Amino acid sequence: QVTLLEREPALTALARHNVAANGFEARISVVEADLTNLPRDLTAIGLEPESFSQVLANPPYHDTGSGTLASDDLKATSHAMPTDALDDWMRFLTRMVRPGGRVVMVHKADALARILQSMNGRFGAIRILPVYPRSGDPAHRILISGIKGSRAPLSMLSGLVLHGAGNAFMPEADAILRHGAELQF
């Protein structure tokens, strides 16, 4: 069973259309809500706290207080949020995953310190997978996971290199992105 949470009505409608078009209505539900402004009773919108064995998150990467926002309103709200909202996301993930359950987040590598601070006291067995655009380049993204309530130590993994010569995907990245291979994480 999969539950998708989306804030934007147009993207919620697209997700619902794709779920129906692929015949996944019995397995996938789509909830329209803003996780930074949720009702106290989550069951009213179809969510049950501490009911998920795994929660995946892809929060906006950019800070609304710096840089230039996208000119398209949908992209601007999807790509940027206030810096302190990252902790709101982590509180929500903590609220939704069951004890012993796993959270996974993808974010910019330079957000690692803030993410670790938000996970502190909530998650252990933290695993960090740096994602490198090319071998020898600094990581630009990270995948980070943790187990709710665990006290196990942090692990830094070797990372995933996306591109080789001529911008072609490296074999491991190609297998994951184009052929559904399991990401070793």
Side-chain angles (χ1 to χ4, degrees):
Q1 294 295 319
V2 175
T3 301
L4 306 174
L5 177 68
E6 174 56 52
R7 174 183 63 191
E8 298 299 326
L11 297 178
T12 303
L14 178 61
R16 286 184 177 134
H17 169 79
N18 287 334
V19 166
N22 287 286
F24 290 131
E25 299 95 337
R27 295 175 45 200
I28 300 174
S29 61
V30 181
V31 175
E32 184 177 315
D34 179 351
L35 70 81
T36 63
N37 188 25
L38 291 169
R40 176 165 270 140
D41 178 15
L42 293 179
T43 59
I45 60 170
L47 297 175
E48 182 67 38
E50 293 193 332
S51 66
F52 293 89
S53 59
Q54 190 159 193
V55 178
L56 310 174
N58 182 12
Y61 295 158
H62 305 291
D63 182 2
T64 54
S66 64
T68 304
L69 294 177
S71 58
D72 178 79
D73 287 342
L74 181 58
K75 284 185 180 179
T77 59
S78 296
H79 294 178
M81 68 179 176
T83 301
D84 60 350
L86 189 56
D87 198 54
D88 293 336
W89 278 70
M90 198 59 67
R91 276 194 304 278
F92 176 74
L93 300 179
T94 304
R95 187 175 179 193
M96 298 314 299
V97 73
R98 66 177 51 123
R102 182 177 188 212
V103 298
V104 178
M105 180 181 284
V106 60
H107 213 292
K108 292 187 336 182
D110 65 10
L112 179 58
R114 290 182 322 172
I115 295 168
L116 288 172
Q117 183 178 11
S118 287
M119 292 180 92
N120 188 34
R122 296 173 173 147
F123 299 95
I126 294 170
R127 297 173 58 89
I128 303 167
L129 179 75
V131 179
Y132 303 97
R134 285 170 193 70
S135 182
D137 287 353
H140 68 301
R141 297 284 184 264
I142 56 165
L143 291 171
I144 185 167
S145 71
I147 305 298
K148 183 176 179 176
S150 173
R151 298 199 184 280
L154 179 144
S155 299
M156 177 67 77
L157 306 176
S158 60
L160 174 66
V161 178
L162 295 179
H163 299 282
N167 257 358
F169 281 116
M170 296 293 286
E172 182 183 12
D174 188 63
I176 294 165
L177 296 170
R178 300 189 192 280
H179 305 290
E182 182 180 344
L183 175 64
Q184 299 299 314
F185 175 54

